[in-house]
Amino acid sequence: MALIANLRHFLDEDGSIPELPDAAMKLVGFLTRIVSTVSKEAEEPIVDVDIKCCERSNELSCDGYIEAWVSDNMDIQWCCNTCDENGVISNWHGSQWDHHDKTVH
């Protein structure tokens, strides 16, 4: 089953992570690490993210790693290179984890 996440739903009005339960903090850390890594290499077709699949939940035992990319609609899609875990991260633009080069005209 895909994990569909709107990054803004995890942030407060200032764009920071509020105090959340441990499981939610673990998930937010997982998502923001993906955004940070992929946004630095947004032009690449697939980015190897140095995160193990199991890092998002204590219930997962997969030793696979996450691969991710920016889709045509500018969401970040990710998947495990070993199991069927996958997901989409939306509304990451402009967050503190967005390192995509911005063009000034």
Side-chain angles (χ1 to χ4, degrees), residues 19-60:
E19 191 166 323
L20 298 170
D22 290 343
M25 287 298 290
K26 188 170 194 163
L27 177 59
V28 172
F30 178 84
L31 297 173
T32 56
R33 284 179 58 197
I34 292 173
V35 169
S36 180
T37 302
V38 173
S39 66
K40 290 176 188 172
E41 302 178 43
E43 307 307 318
E44 295 296 320
I46 296 178
V47 177
D48 291 324
V49 183
D50 191 23
I51 304 174
K52 279 193 167 189
C53 181
C54 63
E55 287 187 40
R56 76 178 178 92
S57 172
N58 291 335
E59 283 124 37
L60 295 174

